Amino acid sequence: MSTPYAKLPGWVEYGLIPLVNLVVAFAVAGLVVLLVGESPLEAAYHMVNGAFGRGEYIGFTLYYATTFIFTGLAVAVAFHAGLFNIGGEGQAYVAGIGVALACLWLDRFMPWYVVFPVAILGASLFGAAWAFLPGWFQAKRGSHIVITTIMFNFIAASLMNYMLNRVLKPLGSMSLETRTFEAGGQLPRLDWLMSIFGLSVGTAPFNVTFLLALAASFGVWVLIWRTKLGYEMRTMGHSPSAARYAGIKEARIIVITMMISGALAGMMALNPIMGETYRMQLDFVQGAGFVGIAVALMGRSHPAGIIPAAILFGVLYQGGAEIAFEMPSISRDMIVIIQGLVILFAGALEHMFRPAITRAVLAFSGRGRTQAAAKGA
Amino acid sequence: MDYLQLFLELAQSTVRLSTPLILAALAGLFTERAGVFDIGLEGKMLGGAFAAGCVAFVAQSAMAGLLAAVVVSVLLSLVHGYASITQRGNQIVSGVAINFIVAGSTVILGEAWFRQGGRTPALSEGARFQVIDLPFAEELRGIPLLGPIYADLISGHQALTYIAFLMVPASWWILYRTRFGLRLRAVGENPGAVDTAGISVIWMRYRAVICCGILCGIAGAYLSLAANAGWTKGMTAGKGYIALAALIFAKWRPVPVMFACLLFGFLDAFAIRYQSTPLPLIGKVPVQLMQALPYILTVILLAGFIGKAIPPKAGGVPYVKER
């Protein structure tokens, strides 16, 4: 991708421009709140209070953030190789099978720290497998990855509906879910981490998956910026023809990238299944795969940006519930609007304010330079 | 006679279910042929359906509802156009954004304005599109085979259904037999050449996007004013994506688009009708498999196992004029 724009200092590129995009997205969301006849400021107050007001609220915020870190990383890894993986939703959904199988198999006679690694493996394997086919089709058969991954989301929904209906549901049960896991399938909460800060986690399902998410973020950073594979991925993302010329095997990179992306999306399934409900329920992903797109765009595909972006969406989810409680006319669907606006302004319209900001920054720094020059003379 | 009755029932619901798909897929045909990918069909349809439901209820007029649907859908299309044509943003990201914005805001606004828990008030007969009986439908019913087909399958749909099926040859004519269509297709294949000929690529693409908005609006209005009596939360339920699948399945050509939509509509109708009855030879097919079939077929097609689906060459690429 060639950028016809002037090179800007890092703080503008990675700080100011995303911030301006984000502020505009929230301003438009505020307009929607006004249109409904409520006060945006009051909504913002309830949101911040609902997300940070108590230790328990913070626990919920970080619980949601954990999920979004995984899906955000999944989208980001694919972005680096120039691939757009819209299929995080389906990959996470199918990965639920991996988690559920590990738990159903081991939970009665193994402690959580044995079940957890097996479940991680299961989630990654199923997630990667669900991303393998779209990747392979793109690499070998030239079908468009975006379309294929969308289709795979729908196929995953049908598949999981079938699995929960016919295979994983206990006999005689009416609701579409697996049985509740015993102690081995329940991840410990991070009470100790919160109590360091003098906070109580309460009933919030803030669990060890959060630490896994942080480790995964570090792992992605190492992969993308410190390994040969990551270098090849980025080369392909910048210029497929240059990558081909350099002898990088395009098909191999596409398939591997998609599988890593799918595995990351898949690990998201650990959080709700083993961390909150202790069973796999129908539709447990609840759009988190799509939130990952917004998170990756906002975090500029860098783990250091993705973690704060994921926390911001955690705030939206947890604070949004509080808004819905305090101001009934603003339901949780408000989050979906904000998510869309963030995707629009931080993604599709990311360059809209760039010319103006570039001009402002250049004018500002230019004046500084002339003043310094005048002083020197 | 029993079989005829069964066939007619299935065919009727196939037509009903395919109508919005045909409109949306043709909408996608116009933009994608002009080089602008659009996965926002779903959102535009839903926005149109919502506007139609609101305005038709307030004005008590189906035509006003249809007009509102078209206006809202065109506005959303222009947002997509602004992001992907003028700002040269990522077209897929923009489409995804529109889907989310519409999915959320229709629910919030609907709840604020009507307070009926994710729906607009039920529309009376006058505010909906009425079933049209074609001339002599009843008189001709007596004719064996052809009579019932005419009376029950060809006659007895709402105006929008007929418009949808008429739009198929109309789109073909516009795309392949007019100067506008030639230029539109050229802009999707080789925008540089069109630019050299002194035609504005930007304006061409905007017009294509507007065409898409109009058709998506009609599709939305069909959902809330003809197929149902009002808008309900998330009523498009993936139809925009099925339409997209149909468009690819038809390899971006108008007449095959109709057949692909009819096929996907038939699968849907069949799945609804035969949810729990075992079929001869195959046995009982899980309904989930039937629901997933359009998507599976599209994936297989895209992977080049049934012919090859080659998208417009300049699709997804913003046009940058040489300096």
Side-chain angles (χ1 to χ4, degrees):
Chain A
M1 268 183 273
S2 65
T3 45
Y5 304 102
K7 194 155 171 61
L8 293 168
W11 66 272
V12 180
E13 184 73 29
Y14 300 107
L16 189 61
I17 290 180
L19 190 70
V20 169
N21 290 337
L22 193 64
V23 167
V24 174
F26 274 86
V28 176
L31 285 181
V32 177
V33 176
L34 271 181
L35 204 60
V36 172
E38 297 277 358
S39 151
L41 286 178
E42 200 190 331
Y45 167 77
H46 287 306
M47 189 173 79
V48 173
N49 187 43
F52 296 113
R54 267 199 256 158
E56 188 175 352
Y57 298 166
I58 298 177
F60 269 106
T61 300
L62 291 175
Y63 163 75
Y64 290 122
T66 307
T67 293
F68 303 146
I69 291 176
F70 284 121
T71 53
L73 288 174
V75 177
V77 165
F79 269 156
H80 279 292
L83 301 167
F84 193 174
N85 178 13
I86 287 197
E89 187 79 8
Q91 288 142 20
Y93 204 2
V94 172
I97 300 179
V99 179
L101 287 183
C103 292
L104 292 172
W105 174 40
L106 294 169
D107 66 338
R108 293 210 166 118
F109 46 90
M110 286 288 179
W112 74 269
Y113 48 81
V114 177
V115 182
F116 192 41
V118 180
I120 294 173
L121 199 69
S124 328
L125 279 180
F126 275 82
W130 202 247
F132 166 76
L133 271 181
W136 190 77
F137 283 150
Q138 159 106 7
K140 293 283 184 192
R141 317 279 320 184
S143 50
H144 202 300
I145 198 115
V146 172
I147 306 292
T148 331
T149 46
I150 292 177
M151 300 298 137
F152 266 66
N153 282 342
F154 285 102
I155 300 171
S158 293
L159 173 75
M160 293 302 285
N161 201 321
Y162 177 81
M163 290 297 288
L164 282 167
N165 239 316
R166 306 282 180 87
V167 186
L168 293 168
K169 187 174 75 173
L171 278 178
S173 163
M174 289 302 286
S175 48
L176 293 179
E177 54 192 31
T178 63
R179 71 169 165 82
T180 305
F181 307 142
E182 307 288 321
Q186 306 188 356
L187 293 178
R189 311 233 150 134
L190 291 176
D191 309 69
W192 55 271
L193 188 68
M194 295 293 273
S195 60
I196 296 175
F197 302 101
L199 296 165
S200 152
V201 73
T203 58
F206 178 46
N207 61 75
V208 290
T209 320
F210 178 67
L211 302 180
L212 180 71
L214 295 183
S217 306
F218 180 71
V220 166
W221 176 79
V222 171
L223 169 76
I224 300 289
W225 281 280
R226 287 292 179 272
T227 65
K228 181 162 165 270
L229 178 63
Y231 178 75
E232 292 178 339
M233 282 161 59
R234 280 184 295 137
T235 310
M236 215 185 74
H238 278 293
S239 165
S241 49
R244 225 169 292 139
Y245 191 67
I248 292 169
K249 290 195 187 70
E250 205 177 1
R252 182 174 150 262
I253 301 291
I254 291 175
V255 171
I256 292 178
T257 307
M258 279 308 286
M259 288 179 74
I260 295 172
S261 177
L264 284 166
M267 280 188 237
M268 166 266 155
L270 296 160
N271 198 33
I273 294 179
M274 287 184 79
E276 193 200 5
T277 53
Y278 308 132
R279 55 180 172 256
M280 181 164 71
Q281 293 174 309
L282 194 70
D283 204 20
F284 69 87
V285 186
Q286 295 197 328
F290 297 118
V291 178
I293 300 169
V295 168
L297 286 169
M298 225 180 89
R300 307 219 126 215
S301 301
H302 193 292
I306 286 170
I307 293 173
I311 292 175
L312 181 89
F313 271 92
V315 169
L316 285 176
Y317 266 65
Q318 168 56 18
E322 182 71 12
I323 296 180
F325 184 71
E326 296 283 341
M327 305 160 85
S329 58
I330 305 176
S331 61
R332 294 195 64 159
D333 294 280
M334 194 69 210
I335 305 166
V336 181
I337 303 182
I338 298 179
Q339 186 184 329
L341 290 167
V342 167
I343 294 175
L344 184 68
F345 285 103
L349 290 173
E350 63 173 332
H351 299 311
M352 185 160 71
F353 302 105
R354 186 180 290 261
I357 292 174
T358 309
R359 235 174 293 130
V361 168
L362 287 183
F364 191 70
S365 59
R367 194 182 308 136
R369 213 168 294 141
T370 35
Q371 273 169 358
K375 239 177 238 166
Chain B
M1 221 47 214
D2 221 16
Y3 281 110
L4 182 65
Q5 198 55 41
L6 203 68
F7 164 77
L8 282 177
E9 264 175 39
L10 259 180
Q12 251 179 340
S13 51
T14 300
V15 169
R16 262 200 308 276
L17 292 163
S18 332
T19 301
L21 297 181
I22 291 177
L23 287 164
L26 288 175
L29 180 72
F30 275 94
T31 50
E32 303 218 342
R33 257 333 206 6
V36 180
F37 279 159
D38 194 354
I39 43 180
L41 296 176
E42 173 92 358
K44 274 178 272 198
M45 249 206 288
L46 187 60
F50 176 69
C54 295
V55 172
F57 173 73
V58 174
Q60 285 300 317
S61 148
M63 282 316 280
L66 176 64
L67 192 69
V70 169
V71 168
V72 165
S73 171
V74 167
L75 286 177
L76 289 168
S77 280
L78 288 175
V79 171
H80 181 59
Y82 177 71
S84 51
I85 303 170
T86 306
Q87 292 292 334
R88 297 185 216 129
N90 187 321
Q91 299 169 0
I92 288 155
V93 174
S94 161
V96 172
I98 285 171
N99 286 343
F100 282 120
I101 293 171
V102 174
S105 51
T106 48
V107 177
I108 297 266
L109 293 177
E111 195 53 32
W113 292 340
F114 301 108
R115 304 203 180 280
Q116 299 212 349
R119 53 172 62 247
T120 53
L123 296 169
S124 59
E125 285 294 298
R128 295 179 59 200
F129 282 98
Q130 298 302 309
V131 167
I132 297 172
D133 284 316
L134 293 183
F136 310 119
E138 283 313 310
E139 289 83 343
L140 294 176
R141 191 184 285 277
I143 300 171
L145 196 64
L146 292 179
I149 289 181
Y150 181 71
D152 288 336
L153 181 58
I154 299 176
S155 169
H157 296 283
Q158 291 97 343
L160 295 181
T161 307
Y162 297 111
I163 291 178
F165 280 89
L166 286 176
M167 275 317 290
V168 177
S171 303
W172 175 84
W173 187 77
I174 292 171
L175 282 174
Y176 292 95
R177 287 291 177 273
T178 66
R179 186 188 304 197
F180 171 74
L182 176 68
R183 288 174 176 179
L184 187 142
R185 283 180 295 132
V187 143
E189 297 290 338
N190 190 345
V194 178
D195 203 9
T196 315
I199 300 154
S200 164
V201 174
I202 306 287
W203 174 224
M204 243 355 271
R205 285 194 169 168
Y206 264 110
R207 281 190 281 175
V209 163
I210 291 170
C211 290
C212 166
I214 295 171
L215 287 170
C216 270
I218 301 176
Y222 176 82
L223 288 179
S224 59
L225 302 182
N228 300 284
W231 169 87
T232 47
K233 178 180 177 174
M235 75 185 309
T236 42
K239 287 194 179 60
Y241 295 108
I242 295 236
L244 199 64
L247 177 61
I248 297 163
F249 205 74
K251 302 174 187 173
W252 293 271
R253 289 169 305 167
V255 177
V257 157
M258 179 183 78
F259 287 114
C261 290
L262 282 171
L263 171 68
F264 291 172
F266 170 76
L267 288 175
D268 203 4
F270 194 82
I272 295 169
R273 180 76 173 71
Y274 290 100
Q275 280 206 17
S276 43
T277 16
L279 295 175
L281 298 177
I282 324 169
K284 203 168 154 185
V285 179
V287 61
Q288 290 90 354
L289 180 65
M290 299 292 291
Q291 286 164 347
L293 210 51
Y295 306 111
I296 296 174
L297 284 176
T298 307
V299 168
I300 295 173
L301 174 87
L302 262 178
F305 295 120
I306 331 171
K308 190 121 184 82
I310 301 164
K313 215 171 180 180
V317 188
Y319 182 66
V320 186
K321 219 178 164 84
E322 296 281 339
R323 267 169 257 253

